[in-house]
Amino acid sequence: MRIGIDRMAFATTNDYLDLVELAKERGVDPNKFTIGIGQDLQAVVPPTQDIVTLGATAAKKLLTPELEKNISTVIVATESGIDNSKASAIYIKHLLGLSDFTRTVEMKEACYSATAAIQFAKGVVALNPQETVLVIAADIARYGLNTPGEVTQGAGAVAMLISRNPHILTLEDTTVAYFYSIFAMITDRAVYFESAAYSKDIMDFWRPLYATEALVDGKYSTNVYIEFFLQTFTRYQQLTGRELADFAALTFHMPFTKMGKKGLEGLLKDRNDEVAQRLRTQLTASQLFSRQVGNLYTGSLYLSLMSLLQNSDLRAGSRIGLFSYGSGAEGEFYTGILEDGYEHYMNNIQEELKHRHQVSVAEYEKLFSSQLGMNDRDIEFDVTNDPLPFVLKGQKDHQRIYEAK
């Protein structure tokens, strides 16, 4: 049975900041941002948006009444949780009007957890082929105003439907036969997710419960990222015997687009043959949307996948490698095979990005400081000018108030 990503959709805020303008305001050479980091624009978050509204907006783009009937589970992967107890998936399920007979959970492991959610979703579908799992990766990356990490902020959500007979990407697996009982000569079959995962207790990036902005050791985190990619890719090769030539493209988690390039070059080194050139070209295609939105944490890998699929000429049957990374740290490398007509099962991201509104540095700073954050007061936001279909109206009696517009 083929199981994988059936549909994908992306959503971000309506406002963005030009990083050349930010560089000028901060007294920095713009090339440090646009070339050194690899970012051009950055999503700016108004107080009326958070991971719930962005996640629901992304999911709304791919759902139809017919598809909703088969959704048994909603998994939200995030490191921007709004409650230490209640899962954001419950709010999103309610906003979308899904059946109350739906399983809802939230997952966390820095930027990695959307990949774990996909793994778990595949298991659900393998056991219950008639079911579909809605996986949402939603995050808001915050490092603070005028900080070293300011240029790697961003916001958005990627929603995916995991089902049998997928229309976009079939996740590869391997079937292994073994003897269940040597005496009865009964043969059982086990199917496992064809991937290589790797984890170590590392403090390269974290956000304590009392903080709204993350703490990061940037250079150390970059080195750990490259190490984990090489470890997982090497392990994958040992498990499968596959070589680089077997891949049409490799996609990466991209907290900033230069990070993906560092990962790929750590593998290719001085190699410059046809295979290496192809992978570098496809990497560029996968970076385009991230350059215009910024860091999505859990959604970054899957935005890069959508960017690759919408900015390249890959054919059905192509094998794509995906490297997922979350600080702290965990990495995983896995693969999928493109399905025929995959381009028809995603929203047109480039077209949607054209209609955003640019804000000045001063406006960005005001919006950044207007977030609800760790505030215990009753607050009511003006949602009049927010064009997204779901908004955060504020907080009353310690409860967030959402509205479907």
Side-chain angles (χ1 to χ4, degrees), residues 148-206:
E150 184 177 31
V151 69
T152 62
Q153 297 178 139
V158 176
M160 298 170 275
L161 291 181
I162 309 301
S163 72
R164 64 176 175 174
N165 302 324
H167 286 99
I168 296 178
L169 192 74
T170 292
L171 304 179
E172 288 197 277
D173 57 29
T174 301
T175 303
V176 181
Y178 63 96
F179 284 111
Y180 179 77
S181 170
I182 191 170
F183 299 104
M185 298 298 290
I186 299 175
T187 302
D188 198 4
R189 300 176 71 81
V191 178
Y192 64 88
F193 200 38
E194 189 171 272
S195 68
Y198 185 75
S199 62
K200 295 176 71 174
D201 186 358
I202 290 174
M203 298 300 290
D204 61 328
F205 169 106
W206 68 103

Coordinates of all heavy atoms in Angstrom, one line a residue, residues 148-206:
P148 N 21.4 39.3 17.0 CA 22.1 38.6 15.9 C 21.1 37.7 15.1 O 21.3 37.5 13.9 CB 23.1 37.8 16.6 CG 23.4 38.6 17.8 CD 22.1 39.1 18.3
G149 N 20.1 37.2 15.8 CA 19.1 36.3 15.1 C 18.0 36.9 14.5 O 17.1 36.3 13.9
E150 N 17.9 38.3 14.5 CA 16.7 39.0 14.0 C 16.5 38.7 12.5 O 15.3 38.6 12.1 CB 16.9 40.5 14.2 CG 15.8 41.3 13.8 CD 16.0 42.8 14.1 OE1 17.1 43.3 14.0 OE2 15.0 43.5 14.3
V151 N 17.5 38.6 11.8 CA 17.4 38.3 10.3 C 16.8 36.9 10.0 O 16.4 36.7 8.9 CB 18.7 38.6 9.6 CG1 19.7 37.5 9.9 CG2 18.5 38.7 8.1
T152 N 16.9 36.0 11.0 CA 16.4 34.7 10.7 C 15.0 34.4 11.4 O 14.7 33.3 11.7 CB 17.4 33.6 11.2 OG1 17.6 33.8 12.6 CG2 18.7 33.8 10.5
Q153 N 14.2 35.5 11.5 CA 12.9 35.4 12.0 C 11.9 35.1 10.9 O 12.3 35.1 9.7 CB 12.4 36.6 12.8 CG 13.3 36.9 14.0 CD 12.9 38.2 14.7 OE1 12.9 38.2 15.9 NE2 12.7 39.2 14.0
G154 N 10.7 34.8 11.2 CA 9.7 34.5 10.1 C 8.4 33.9 10.7 O 8.4 33.7 12.0
A155 N 7.5 33.5 9.9 CA 6.2 32.9 10.4 C 5.5 32.3 9.3 O 5.5 32.7 8.1 CB 5.4 34.0 11.1
G156 N 4.7 31.2 9.6 CA 3.9 30.6 8.6 C 3.5 29.2 9.0 O 3.9 28.7 10.1
A157 N 2.7 28.5 8.2 CA 2.3 27.2 8.4 C 2.2 26.4 7.2 O 1.8 26.9 6.1 CB 0.9 27.2 9.2
V158 N 2.5 25.1 7.2 CA 2.3 24.2 6.1 C 1.4 23.1 6.6 O 1.6 22.5 7.6 CB 3.7 23.5 5.6 CG1 3.4 22.5 4.6 CG2 4.6 24.6 5.1
A159 N 0.3 22.9 5.8 CA -0.6 21.8 6.2 C -0.5 20.7 5.1 O -0.4 21.0 3.9 CB -2.1 22.4 6.2
M160 N -0.6 19.5 5.6 CA -0.4 18.3 4.7 C -1.5 17.2 5.1 O -1.7 17.0 6.3 CB 1.0 17.7 4.9 CG 2.1 18.6 4.5 SD 3.7 18.0 4.9 CE 3.8 18.6 6.6
L161 N -2.0 16.6 4.1 CA -2.9 15.4 4.3 C -2.0 14.2 4.0 O -1.4 14.0 2.9 CB -4.1 15.5 3.4 CG -5.1 16.5 3.6 CD1 -6.3 16.4 2.6 CD2 -5.6 16.5 5.1
I162 N -2.0 13.3 5.0 CA -1.3 12.0 4.8 C -2.3 10.9 4.6 O -3.2 10.7 5.5 CB -0.4 11.7 6.1 CG1 0.5 12.9 6.4 CG2 0.4 10.4 5.8 CD1 1.4 13.3 5.3
S163 N -2.2 10.2 3.5 CA -3.2 9.2 3.2 C -2.7 8.1 2.3 O -1.5 8.2 1.9 CB -4.4 9.9 2.5 OG -4.0 10.2 1.1
R164 N -3.5 7.1 2.0 CA -3.1 6.1 1.1 C -3.3 6.7 -0.3 O -4.0 7.7 -0.5 CB -3.9 4.8 1.2 CG -5.4 5.0 1.0 CD -6.1 3.7 1.0 NE -7.5 3.9 0.9 CZ -8.4 2.9 0.8 NH1 -8.0 1.6 0.9 NH2 -9.7 3.1 0.7
N165 N -2.6 6.1 -1.3 CA -2.7 6.5 -2.7 C -2.5 8.1 -2.8 O -3.4 8.8 -3.4 CB -4.0 6.1 -3.3 CG -4.2 4.6 -3.3 OD1 -3.2 3.8 -3.4 ND2 -5.4 4.2 -3.1
P166 N -1.4 8.6 -2.3 CA -1.2 10.1 -2.3 C -1.0 10.6 -3.7 O -0.5 10.0 -4.6 CB 0.0 10.2 -1.4 CG 0.8 9.0 -1.7 CD -0.2 7.9 -1.8
H167 N -1.4 11.9 -3.8 CA -1.2 12.6 -5.1 C 0.1 13.3 -5.3 O 0.4 13.8 -6.4 CB -2.4 13.6 -5.3 CG -3.7 12.9 -5.6 ND1 -4.6 12.7 -4.7 CD2 -4.2 12.4 -6.8 CE1 -5.7 12.1 -5.2 NE2 -5.4 11.9 -6.5
I168 N 0.8 13.6 -4.2 CA 2.1 14.4 -4.3 C 3.3 13.5 -4.1 O 4.1 13.4 -5.0 CB 2.1 15.5 -3.3 CG1 1.0 16.5 -3.6 CG2 3.4 16.2 -3.3 CD1 0.9 17.7 -2.6
L169 N 3.5 12.9 -3.0 CA 4.7 12.2 -2.7 C 4.4 10.9 -1.9 O 3.8 10.9 -0.8 CB 5.6 13.1 -1.8 CG 7.1 12.6 -1.6 CD1 7.9 12.9 -2.9 CD2 7.7 13.4 -0.5
T170 N 4.9 9.8 -2.5 CA 4.7 8.5 -1.7 C 6.0 8.3 -0.9 O 7.1 8.4 -1.4 CB 4.6 7.3 -2.7 OG1 3.3 7.4 -3.4 CG2 4.7 6.0 -2.0
L171 N 5.8 8.1 0.4 CA 6.9 7.9 1.3 C 7.5 6.5 1.1 O 6.7 5.5 1.2 CB 6.5 8.1 2.7 CG 5.8 9.5 3.0 CD1 5.4 9.6 4.5 CD2 6.8 10.6 2.7
E172 N 8.8 6.4 0.9 CA 9.3 5.1 0.6 C 9.5 4.2 1.9 O 9.7 4.7 3.0 CB 10.7 5.2 0.0 CG 10.7 5.7 -1.4 CD 12.0 5.5 -2.1 OE1 12.9 6.3 -2.0 OE2 12.1 4.5 -2.9
D173 N 9.2 2.9 1.8 CA 9.5 2.0 2.9 C 10.0 0.7 2.3 O 10.1 0.5 1.1 CB 8.2 1.7 3.7 CG 7.0 1.2 2.8 OD1 7.3 0.6 1.8 OD2 5.9 1.5 3.2
T174 N 10.4 -0.2 3.2 CA 11.0 -1.4 2.8 C 10.3 -2.5 3.5 O 10.0 -2.5 4.7 CB 12.5 -1.5 3.2 OG1 13.2 -0.4 2.5 CG2 13.1 -2.8 2.7
T175 N 9.9 -3.6 2.8 CA 9.3 -4.7 3.4 C 10.3 -5.8 3.6 O 11.0 -6.2 2.8 CB 8.2 -5.3 2.4 OG1 7.3 -4.2 2.1 CG2 7.4 -6.4 3.0
V176 N 10.3 -6.3 4.9 CA 11.2 -7.3 5.3 C 10.5 -8.5 5.7 O 9.5 -8.5 6.5 CB 12.1 -6.8 6.5 CG1 13.0 -7.9 6.9 CG2 12.8 -5.5 6.1
A177 N 10.8 -9.7 5.2 CA 10.2 -10.9 5.5 C 11.0 -11.6 6.6 O 12.2 -11.7 6.5 CB 10.0 -11.8 4.3
Y178 N 10.3 -12.2 7.6 CA 11.1 -12.9 8.6 C 10.2 -14.1 9.1 O 9.0 -14.0 9.0 CB 11.5 -12.0 9.7 CG 10.4 -11.4 10.5 CD1 9.9 -11.9 11.7 CD2 9.8 -10.2 10.1 CE1 8.9 -11.3 12.4 CE2 8.8 -9.6 10.8 CZ 8.4 -10.2 11.9 OH 7.3 -9.6 12.6
F179 N 10.8 -15.0 9.8 CA 10.0 -16.2 10.3 C 9.5 -15.8 11.7 O 10.2 -15.4 12.6 CB 10.9 -17.4 10.5 CG 11.2 -18.1 9.2 CD1 12.5 -18.1 8.6 CD2 10.2 -18.7 8.5 CE1 12.8 -18.7 7.4 CE2 10.5 -19.4 7.3 CZ 11.7 -19.3 6.8
Y180 N 8.1 -15.8 11.7 CA 7.4 -15.5 13.0 C 7.5 -16.7 13.9 O 7.7 -16.6 15.1 CB 6.0 -15.2 12.7 CG 5.2 -14.9 13.9 CD1 5.3 -13.7 14.6 CD2 4.3 -15.8 14.4 CE1 4.5 -13.4 15.7 CE2 3.5 -15.6 15.5 CZ 3.6 -14.4 16.2 OH 2.9 -14.1 17.3
S181 N 7.4 -17.9 13.3 CA 7.5 -19.2 14.1 C 8.2 -20.2 13.3 O 7.7 -20.7 12.3 CB 6.1 -19.7 14.5 OG 6.2 -21.0 15.1
I182 N 9.4 -20.6 13.7 CA 10.2 -21.5 12.9 C 9.6 -22.9 12.9 O 9.7 -23.7 12.0 CB 11.6 -21.6 13.5 CG1 12.5 -22.4 12.5 CG2 11.7 -22.2 14.9 CD1 14.0 -22.3 12.8
F183 N 8.8 -23.2 14.0 CA 8.2 -24.5 14.1 C 7.0 -24.6 13.2 O 6.7 -25.6 12.5 CB 7.8 -24.8 15.5 CG 9.0 -24.9 16.4 CD1 9.3 -23.8 17.3 CD2 9.9 -25.9 16.4 CE1 10.4 -23.8 18.1 CE2 11.1 -25.9 17.2 CZ 11.3 -24.9 18.1
A184 N 6.1 -23.6 13.2 CA 4.9 -23.6 12.4 C 5.1 -23.1 11.0 O 4.3 -23.2 10.2 CB 3.8 -22.7 13.1
M185 N 6.4 -22.6 10.8 CA 6.7 -22.2 9.4 C 5.8 -21.1 8.9 O 5.4 -21.0 7.8 CB 6.8 -23.3 8.4 CG 7.9 -24.4 8.8 SD 9.5 -23.7 8.8 CE 9.8 -23.4 7.0
I186 N 5.4 -20.2 9.9 CA 4.5 -19.1 9.5 C 5.3 -17.8 9.3 O 6.1 -17.4 10.1 CB 3.5 -18.8 10.7 CG1 2.6 -20.0 11.0 CG2 2.6 -17.6 10.4 CD1 1.7 -19.9 12.2
T187 N 5.2 -17.2 8.1 CA 6.0 -16.1 7.7 C 5.1 -14.8 7.9 O 4.0 -14.7 7.4 CB 6.4 -16.1 6.3 OG1 7.2 -17.3 6.1 CG2 7.2 -14.9 5.9
D188 N 5.7 -13.9 8.7 CA 5.0 -12.6 8.9 C 5.8 -11.6 8.1 O 7.0 -11.8 7.8 CB 5.0 -12.3 10.4 CG 4.0 -11.2 10.7 OD1 3.2 -10.8 9.8 OD2 3.9 -10.7 11.9
R189 N 5.2 -10.4 7.9 CA 5.9 -9.3 7.2 C 5.8 -8.0 8.0 O 4.8 -7.7 8.5 CB 5.2 -9.1 5.8 CG 5.3 -10.3 4.9 CD 4.6 -10.1 3.6 NE 5.3 -9.2 2.7 CZ 6.3 -9.6 2.0 NH1 6.8 -10.8 2.0 NH2 6.9 -8.7 1.2
A190 N 7.0 -7.4 8.1 CA 7.0 -6.1 8.8 C 7.4 -5.0 7.8 O 8.3 -5.2 7.0 CB 8.1 -6.2 9.9
V191 N 6.7 -3.9 8.0 CA 7.0 -2.7 7.1 C 7.5 -1.6 8.0 O 6.9 -1.3 9.0 CB 5.7 -2.2 6.4 CG1 6.0 -1.0 5.6 CG2 5.2 -3.4 5.5
Y192 N 8.7 -1.0 7.7 CA 9.2 0.1 8.5 C 9.4 1.3 7.6 O 9.6 1.2 6.4 CB 10.4 -0.3 9.2 CG 11.6 -0.7 8.4 CD1 12.5 0.3 8.0 CD2 11.9 -2.0 8.1 CE1 13.6 0.0 7.2 CE2 13.0 -2.3 7.3 CZ 13.9 -1.3 6.9 OH 15.0 -1.6 6.1
F193 N 9.4 2.5 8.2 CA 9.7 3.7 7.5 C 11.1 3.8 7.1 O 12.0 3.6 7.9 CB 9.3 4.8 8.5 CG 9.1 6.2 7.8 CD1 8.4 6.2 6.6 CD2 9.5 7.3 8.5 CE1 8.1 7.5 6.1 CE2 9.2 8.5 7.9 CZ 8.5 8.6 6.7
E194 N 11.4 3.9 5.8 CA 12.8 3.9 5.3 C 13.4 5.2 5.6 O 13.3 6.2 4.8 CB 12.8 3.6 3.8 CG 14.1 3.3 3.3 CD 14.1 2.9 1.9 OE1 13.9 1.6 1.7 OE2 14.1 3.7 1.0
S195 N 14.1 5.3 6.7 CA 14.7 6.6 7.1 C 15.9 6.3 8.1 O 16.0 5.2 8.5 CB 13.7 7.5 7.8 OG 13.3 6.9 9.0
A196 N 16.6 7.4 8.4 CA 17.7 7.3 9.4 C 17.5 8.5 10.3 O 17.6 9.6 9.9 CB 19.0 7.3 8.7
A197 N 17.3 8.2 11.6 CA 17.1 9.2 12.6 C 18.3 9.2 13.5 O 19.0 8.2 13.8 CB 15.8 9.0 13.4
Y198 N 18.6 10.4 14.1 CA 19.8 10.6 14.9 C 19.5 11.6 15.9 O 19.1 12.7 15.6 CB 21.0 11.0 14.0 CG 22.3 11.1 14.6 CD1 23.1 10.0 15.0 CD2 22.9 12.3 14.8 CE1 24.4 10.1 15.5 CE2 24.2 12.5 15.4 CZ 24.9 11.3 15.7 OH 26.2 11.4 16.3
S199 N 19.8 11.4 17.2 CA 19.6 12.4 18.3 C 20.6 12.4 19.3 O 21.2 11.3 19.7 CB 18.2 12.1 18.9 OG 18.2 10.9 19.6
K200 N 20.9 13.6 19.8 CA 21.9 13.8 20.9 C 21.5 14.9 21.8 O 20.8 15.9 21.3 CB 23.3 14.0 20.4 CG 23.9 12.9 19.6 CD 25.3 13.2 19.0 CE 26.3 13.4 20.0 NZ 27.7 13.6 19.4
D201 N 21.8 14.9 23.1 CA 21.5 16.0 24.0 C 22.5 17.1 23.8 O 23.6 17.1 24.2 CB 21.5 15.5 25.4 CG 21.1 16.5 26.4 OD1 20.7 17.7 26.0 OD2 21.1 16.2 27.6
I202 N 22.1 18.2 23.1 CA 22.9 19.3 22.7 C 22.2 20.6 22.9 O 21.0 20.7 22.7 CB 23.3 19.2 21.2 CG1 24.2 18.0 20.9 CG2 24.0 20.5 20.7 CD1 24.5 17.7 19.5
M203 N 23.0 21.6 23.4 CA 22.4 22.9 23.7 C 22.8 23.9 22.6 O 23.7 24.8 22.9 CB 22.8 23.4 25.1 CG 22.2 22.5 26.2 SD 20.4 22.4 26.3 CE 20.0 24.0 26.8
D204 N 22.3 23.8 21.4 CA 22.6 24.7 20.4 C 21.5 25.8 20.2 O 21.8 26.8 19.6 CB 22.9 24.0 19.1 CG 21.7 23.2 18.5 OD1 20.9 22.7 19.4 OD2 21.5 23.1 17.3
F205 N 20.3 25.5 20.7 CA 19.2 26.4 20.5 C 18.1 25.9 21.5 O 17.9 24.7 21.6 CB 18.7 26.3 19.1 CG 17.4 27.0 18.8 CD1 17.3 28.2 18.2 CD2 16.2 26.4 19.2 CE1 16.1 28.8 17.9 CE2 14.9 27.0 19.0 CZ 14.9 28.2 18.3
W206 N 17.5 26.8 22.2 CA 16.4 26.4 23.2 C 15.6 27.7 23.6 O 16.1 28.8 23.4 CB 17.0 25.7 24.4 CG 17.8 26.6 25.3 CD1 17.5 27.1 26.5 CD2 19.2 27.0 25.1 NE1 18.5 27.8 27.1 CE2 19.6 27.8 26.2 CE3 20.1 26.8 24.1 CZ2 20.8 28.4 26.4 CZ3 21.4 27.4 24.2 CH2 21.7 28.1 25.4

